[in-house]
Amino acid sequence: TDGSVTALDRIRTVSTWSASVETSAEIRTAAARRPGLDGVSKLLTLAVLFLLMVCGATVLVASIDWMAERRRTLAVLSAVGVASGVLRRSVMAQIAVPLLFALAAGVAGALAVTWLLFTAVQEPVVLAGRQLATTTALAAVLVLFTTAATLPWLRIARDPELLRNMQLRSGVSSFLVM
């Protein structure tokens, strides 16, 4: 610019500042009209499902490892006459009860954080009930599936023949140490 008043007025006229004020309801309505946000929601749902599957596989591997470590105890229980149904219920309780408790605590925590967040920004609490219910139901099904998938390994681990094989191996290893 040349520093004149008319040049300054032209700059002010061209570069005007404007602001718009919208309520949260208007923002939600505008967001609902955007198709791209629905894709983001679906992508996040798929990410949650993938993470649930990874967690389920981890719990399944840990449960099978637990049975492998305690196969002698399970074989002794089977040899002394403990019914297989009792062992199955015991294993199911040891796996499913903590996972279902963690699921309930996770849902309660999510609801509490959502309530606190909406209260902090002074907005009415809005819950995505369908997504929350779907995710909770899928996690509960995953817990039950993981628990049921360990039951064939229980049948293998409670075989009393394992006691004889373990005794032979421990006898051989003690002979080699001497």
Side-chain angles (χ1 to χ4, degrees):
T1 66
D2 59 359
S4 67
V5 176
T6 56
L8 185 59
D9 282 338
R10 278 192 307 235
I11 292 173
R12 284 185 186 150
T13 305
V14 172
S15 60
T16 59
W17 181 80
S18 66
S20 65
V21 178
E22 297 173 4
T23 65
S24 60
E26 291 171 341
I27 294 172
R28 281 191 207 106
T29 304
R33 281 188 244 134
R34 285 189 169 155
L37 293 179
D38 189 39
V40 171
S41 176
K42 288 180 182 177
L43 183 65
L44 289 174
T45 302
L46 288 175
V48 167
L49 291 176
F50 175 73
L51 291 175
L52 279 174
M53 297 301 287
V54 169
C55 290
T58 303
V59 168
L60 180 63
V61 169
S63 300
I64 292 170
D65 187 47
W66 171 82
M67 281 188 216
E69 288 176 5
R70 288 163 183 81
R71 66 180 182 261
R72 178 176 282 170
T73 306
L74 293 169
V76 167
L77 287 172
S78 181
V80 297
V82 175
S84 61
V86 172
L87 290 175
R88 279 194 298 270
R89 283 191 300 272
S90 172
V91 168
M92 290 179 77
Q94 289 177 8
I95 296 170
V97 169
L99 290 178
L100 290 174
F101 178 75
L103 177 63
V107 169
L111 292 174
V113 167
T114 302
W115 180 78
L116 287 172
L117 180 65
F118 276 95
T119 303
V121 296
Q122 299 175 347
E123 287 289 327
V125 178
V126 178
L127 296 175
R130 190 184 77 200
Q131 289 89 350
L132 182 63
T134 302
T135 304
T136 304
L138 286 173
V141 167
L142 183 68
V143 166
L144 296 175
F145 174 76
T146 302
T147 304
T150 60
L151 295 180
W153 293 94
L154 176 64
R155 185 180 21 188
I156 295 167
R158 65 182 285 273
D159 186 12
E161 283 294 316
L162 290 174
L163 289 174
R164 186 176 312 156
N165 293 340
M166 284 186 256
Q167 188 68 28
L168 269 171
R169 277 187 282 196
S170 64
V172 170
S173 62
S174 64
F175 175 74
L176 293 176
V177 170
M178 292 182 175

